[in-house]
Amino acid sequence: MTMYRLYYWPEIQGRGEFVRLALEDAGARYVDVARGRGGVDAMFRLMERHKVFAPPFLASGRLVLGQTANVLLYLGPRLGLAPKAEAGRLRVHELQLTIADWVVEVHDTHHPIASGLYYEQQRPAARRRTADFLAERLPKYLYHFEKTLKKQKYLTGRTACYADLSLFQMVAGLRYAFPNGMARLQRKYPRVVALHDRVAARPGVARYLASERRIPFNEMDIWRRYPALDRPAQVAK
Ligand SMILES: N[C@@H](CCC(=O)N[C@@H](CS)C(=O)NCC(=O)O)C(=O)O
């Protein structure tokens, strides 16, 4: 069985989680290198040598691949998490790229001006950005996936693909970051919620979620809980 090496920041789920969920769902053998003894130094060395722009990246034998969606494009067929036909594979890749765009927008709710500044240095802009995200962008993404799931169990039909696992992760992360916003919104997207629950119950994923390998969400991650950004609905007086 192939041994994969995943490289990602050791203290957060982040984008590494999309890859981890695919590996865990399939019961693949892998090492989370930066969480081991080599730490992030091992990660930086390989990044430098292979000119990878940013983590996560994956090493498989001599192959080193960066960009989350690219890593999943490679892993999908090898882990039984992608359709066989090219058209189906490209459709899954398209869905994954849409999720990648969505992740950037989630990140930008707490870092709307610059990634290099602290959240505390961009709070007013973060409030404006989050209000727009919750009112306009989040419903647009959720509706897109709700529509895609119409009349089918998983995003591409009867069997799960890696984009289903990533959609699970989006719902989990968004519920953590915006418990009030998501409580208001999610009842309008029952198929997305059912997909989340279906993925969480898959044996490999359920085992992983119950393990210590699943790091809890935290405020260094992409999905951050800042109560000032996620106010409860106004109660009418
Ligand atoms: N488009 C890339 C983005 C990768 C990325 O932004 N990685 C973050 C961690 S989640 C990082 O460490 N970025 C460093 C940087 O952008 O300078 C992907 O989807 O993998």
Side-chain angles (χ1 to χ4, degrees):
M1 202 194 242
T2 311
M3 169 65 96
Y4 297 105
R5 278 165 293 139
L6 170 65
Y7 292 81
Y8 194 65
W9 303 110
E11 286 152 358
I12 58 170
Q13 295 181 24
R15 289 177 174 88
E17 204 66 7
F18 298 115
V19 180
R20 223 171 263 125
L21 281 167
L23 292 166
E24 294 277 355
D25 180 75
R29 291 206 312 147
Y30 76 102
V31 187
D32 220 319
V33 180
R35 289 189 191 174
R37 268 203 300 156
V40 289
D41 289 348
M43 181 170 97
F44 284 130
R45 274 198 301 277
L46 207 68
M47 258 172 90
E48 192 61 30
R49 189 164 351 124
H50 290 270
K51 298 168 191 65
V52 172
F53 180 72
F57 58 97
L58 183 88
S60 168
R62 291 153 79 104
L63 184 72
V64 177
L65 279 178
Q67 291 287 350
T68 312
N70 194 37
V71 170
L72 289 169
L73 187 66
Y74 170 79
L75 283 177
R78 287 168 175 80
L79 300 181
L81 286 168
K84 288 205 165 44
E86 186 184 34
R89 284 195 191 171
L90 291 174
R91 173 63 179 157
V92 178
H93 187 48
E94 177 185 337
L95 293 166
Q96 193 65 39
L97 289 170
T98 303
I99 289 176
D101 291 344
W102 191 2
V103 170
V104 173
E105 294 195 34
V106 174
H107 169 270
D108 289 355
T109 59
H110 48 81
H111 277 76
I113 294 178
S115 301
L117 296 175
Y118 291 109
Y119 158 68
E120 288 75 14
Q121 295 171 293
Q122 42 195 323
R123 264 192 195 137
R127 275 199 288 273
R128 287 188 68 184
R129 184 67 186 257
T130 304
D132 181 76
F133 176 75
L134 293 177
E136 306 293 337
R137 300 299 294 173
L138 183 53
K140 184 164 181 173
Y141 281 109
L142 289 170
Y143 177 65
H144 175 69
F145 286 98
E146 183 74 9
K147 232 176 10 185
T148 304
L149 285 165
K150 201 164 189 180
K151 295 192 189 134
Q152 57 195 38
K153 209 169 152 193
Y154 290 108
L155 288 167
T156 53
R158 273 178 300 172
T159 52
C161 64
Y162 58 81
D164 290 292
L165 309 182
S166 295
L167 182 55
F168 154 82
Q169 177 66 8
M170 292 307 292
V171 172
L174 288 159
R175 280 178 175 168
Y176 173 78
F178 306 112
N180 294 312
M182 280 297 278
R184 285 194 293 274
L185 275 177
Q186 65 184 8
R187 66 182 76 117
K188 294 189 198 146
Y189 309 98
R191 292 187 182 90
V192 171
V193 171
L195 185 279
H196 165 278
D197 298 350
R198 196 170 293 133
V199 169
R202 288 170 66 83
V205 173
R207 240 186 335 267
Y208 170 60
L209 296 178
S211 78
E212 286 184 0
R213 298 189 300 286
R214 172 82 166 180
I215 299 174
F217 286 111
N218 62 59
E219 278 54 58
M220 293 178 292
D221 210 324
I222 291 163
W223 304 273
R224 300 187 188 189
R225 182 174 291 179
Y226 291 129
L229 300 184
D230 180 51
R231 298 262 172 76
Q234 294 284 311
V235 180
K237 286 193 185 146

